[in-house]
Amino acid sequence: MRVTIVCVGKLKEAYWRGAIGEYSKRLSRYMKLEIVELPDEKAPETMSPAQENEVREKEGVRILKAVKEDAFVVALAIGGKSLSSEALADFMAEKSVRGVSHIVFIIGGSLGLSDGVMKRADFSLSFSPMTFPHQMMRVILLEQIYRAEKINRKEPYHK
């Protein structure tokens, strides 16, 4: 299985980079993992709804350019479907059995994902109704993908 995480924004803090590095290393035993960082759109602190939409659309164009046509796309969105760790493991295993060889997870910028990205998504996943910083969401997502792999392989880790 190939997994790509497409995310808006750069990791600035060393502790986020360290956590990403650790989970990337752990996952390298199980899959080909790629993390694609896209620049976030520069925007003023306060914006009108139209300006916010424009930012989402510009980021969305960059995101869609990074997504391969044959990929199964999972958009991370507050309004998506919530899954337990076991259900995520089942979801990933089922995709693999059905011939999906490439899953792309998309983490948007601070204003969320554009309508175009949401339309391209094959599945919308919510980790919580809460809002998380996109840097933290990368770590949470990688940890859950790692946990899913451990569950599916019946290896110790998940409790």
Side-chain angles (χ1 to χ4, degrees):
M1 170 82 59
R2 215 170 100 209
V3 171
T4 301
I5 298 174
V6 175
C7 39
V8 175
K10 300 269 184 206
L11 290 178
K12 296 175 185 114
E13 294 86 1
Y15 54 89
W16 293 130
R17 288 193 308 270
I20 297 295
E22 178 61 29
Y23 283 110
S24 296
K25 183 176 84 174
R26 291 181 186 191
L27 282 165
S28 69
R29 294 179 51 210
Y30 305 114
M31 66 183 57
K32 182 175 175 7
L33 176 68
E34 178 184 20
I35 298 174
V36 178
E37 283 187 337
L38 303 172
D40 53 351
E41 189 64 25
K42 301 299 177 228
E45 193 66 33
T46 58
M47 292 181 280
S48 70
Q51 289 172 311
E52 288 182 359
N53 192 52
E54 185 178 333
V55 167
R56 272 191 300 276
E57 291 302 319
K58 286 180 179 178
E59 290 175 347
V61 167
R62 287 188 203 118
I63 290 168
L64 291 172
K65 282 183 183 176
V67 174
K68 305 284 188 256
E69 263 186 57
D70 65 338
F72 185 91
V73 176
V74 178
L76 274 60
I78 289 174
K81 182 172 173 58
S82 293
L83 299 176
S84 66
S85 296
E86 296 87 353
L88 179 62
D90 289 344
F91 175 84
M92 292 185 70
E94 185 264 337
K95 293 301 166 219
S96 182
V97 167
R98 297 213 182 272
V100 172
S101 61
H102 187 196
I103 297 177
V104 175
F105 291 91
I106 298 175
I107 302 172
S110 61
L111 297 174
L113 295 169
S114 70
D115 289 341
V117 171
M118 293 306 294
K119 285 179 184 146
R120 171 59 182 91
D122 298 296
F123 186 78
S124 180
L125 176 64
S126 174
F127 276 80
S128 169
M130 295 180 198
T131 302
F132 295 105
H134 59 270
Q135 300 96 326
M136 183 182 293
M137 199 61 240
R138 279 190 228 182
V139 175
I140 293 169
L141 174 61
L142 283 171
E143 191 281 334
Q144 285 299 300
I145 293 170
Y146 178 69
R147 183 178 297 272
E149 287 300 313
K150 295 298 244 178
I151 290 169
N152 285 338
R153 294 167 193 278
K154 298 184 182 8
E155 296 176 359
Y157 178 77
H158 176 69
K159 296 193 180 344

